[in-house]
Amino acid sequence: MLKANDPCWCRSGRKFKRCHKDEPGLRPGRIGPPRAVPADIAAPHYAATGGGSRRGEPMVKPPEVLAAMRRTGKLAAAILAETGAAVAPGVTTDELDRIAHEAHLRVGAYPSPLNYRGFPKSICTSVNEVICHGIPDDRPLVEGDIVNLDITTYAEGVHGDTNATFCVGRVDEGSRRLIQVTRECLERGIAAVGPGRPLSDIGRAIEEHATRHGFSVVRTFVGHGIGREFHAEPSVPHYYDPAADLRLEPGMTFTIEPMIAMGDPRERIWPDGWTAVTVDGLRCAQFEHTVAVTDDGVEVLTGP
Ligand code: MF3
Ligand code: CO
Ligand code: CO
């Protein structure tokens, strides 16, 4: 138990009478039934089977796939903004799932997580110490929580994948700092993308920024190629991995989605098989964009 005037683990330099160490920790809530998608909305191949991505998608995408990814990426960005605007104390993560699900249907898109490898809901909602893949449930958000909303949208035969971490009401300084540094980690990762550059430049830039601020980088979960398939080659580590020596080429599309932890970045998985929480119960934040390598740099496909 934290004593008054102990330094907070969140490394803000401040002293806290109460801190996250006092929190009981997140517990699984009740998960409602999967939401329905009308038959006139084109669904990915796994929607009916609960399978995963197929192998063999080319890393360099043809122009028509890039054009479709640009449009789908914008849809995902708009749905993330709309759902994020509903984050508030008292709102359940299942309500956020409903808002995002209905936003997909409104634009004729399929919410990619739904039945992907059997995932039961339309988005991922990751609260506080959840690193990623949190399942929306009936727990109302509480003032002081942080919540990541991860939206992946399938339209025109391609996926767009983006996420952001939101504050629920007023949030402590340390968590706000974590969120800001994580946002900067994504920006720096994106700035490290360009033709001819090694993929490892992305993780190097992210890790350098995170560790400089006293945070740590999650290693188990990485960015991924994306296009007609949800998860494809290449894997994009968010730490420096000299083995990630792939040279980037124009037309390659992948996500950058750093998960940055306040303490130990290792995870434990809940019995639901999905929810990844930090082993030490300390908070974790994440931001994600889908990007394309261009002739002279990088294009963010899930931007505004
Ligand atoms: N959108 C997540 C990612 O960034 C993946 C979610 S997998 C799901 O890669 F099954 F949970 F949807
Ligand atoms: Co992703
Ligand atoms: Co995502």
Side-chain angles (χ1 to χ4, degrees):
M1 176 64 77
L2 194 78
K3 295 196 291 293
N5 297 327
D6 273 357
C8 179
W9 50 259
C10 46
R11 300 170 209 258
S12 60
R14 296 210 177 165
K15 315 280 189 203
F16 285 89
K17 285 203 177 119
R18 274 184 60 79
C19 196
H20 310 292
K21 280 182 178 172
D22 297 324
E23 289 178 358
L26 200 72
R27 285 185 299 108
R30 279 191 301 257
I31 300 168
R35 296 195 149 81
V37 177
D40 61 331
I41 291 179
H45 56 81
Y46 56 77
T49 63
S53 293
R54 298 169 169 153
R55 304 187 149 275
E57 169 149 43
M59 287 196 281
V60 175
K61 308 303 187 292
E64 67 274 13
V65 169
L66 280 173
M69 289 184 73
R70 231 168 247 129
R71 293 187 292 267
T72 300
K74 291 222 181 295
L75 293 179
I79 295 168
L80 176 59
E82 177 182 340
T83 312
V87 169
V91 175
T92 65
T93 48
D94 187 64
E95 172 68 3
L96 299 172
D97 184 83
R98 185 190 65 77
I99 291 167
H101 184 86
E102 289 176 3
H104 278 88
L105 303 193
R106 211 192 303 134
V107 296
Y110 181 95
S112 305
L114 188 60
N115 210 26
Y116 180 74
R117 294 168 162 266
F119 191 80
K121 287 286 169 178
S122 301
I123 64 171
C124 298
T125 55
S126 298
V127 174
N128 298 345
E129 67 265 34
V130 179
I131 297 171
C132 62
H133 302 163
I135 304 173
D137 64 20
D138 66 351
R139 175 187 179 275
L141 293 169
V142 175
E143 174 133 34
D145 284 348
I146 62 173
V147 59
N148 178 278
L149 306 181
D150 193 338
I151 307 286
T152 313
T153 298
Y154 180 79
E156 298 188 52
V158 298
H159 299 270
D161 190 3
T162 183
N163 75 47
T165 302
F166 298 84
C167 290
V168 181
R170 286 180 42 162
V171 166
D172 70 273
E173 167 78 19
S175 297
R176 293 203 309 266
R177 187 93 198 103
L178 173 72
I179 290 171
Q180 180 56 25
V181 169
T182 306
R183 189 186 284 115
E184 291 163 1
C185 283
L186 174 56
E187 285 165 7
R188 284 170 185 245
I190 293 170
V193 174
R197 294 186 68 167
L199 186 68
S200 59
D201 277 7
I202 298 168
R204 189 207 298 268
I206 291 168
E207 184 169 38
E208 199 175 87
H209 192 64
T211 55
R212 179 146 51 86
H213 287 90
F215 298 133
S216 63
V217 177
V218 169
R219 302 172 73 93
T220 301
F221 303 98
V222 296
H224 50 91
I226 183 168
R228 294 193 175 283
E229 298 297 327
F230 193 165
H231 290 121
E233 291 295 304
S235 286
V236 182
H238 303 112
Y239 53 91
Y240 177 60
D241 178 2
D245 57 359
L246 176 77
R247 295 279 154 178
L248 300 181
E249 291 174 42
M252 289 179 172
T253 56
F254 50 83
T255 71
I256 304 176
E257 49 181 298
M259 285 142 276
I260 305 298
M262 283 183 159
D264 193 326
R266 290 174 302 173
E267 83 286 355
R268 176 167 66 78
I269 307 292
W270 278 2
D272 63 28
W274 281 103
T275 309
V277 294
T278 58
V279 286
D280 58 12
L282 299 191
R283 290 181 171 194
C284 188
Q286 184 181 26
F287 286 84
E288 174 175 31
H289 274 307
T290 299
V291 305
V293 184
T294 63
D295 292 334
D296 56 1
V298 61
E299 178 182 358
V300 177
L301 300 175
T302 45

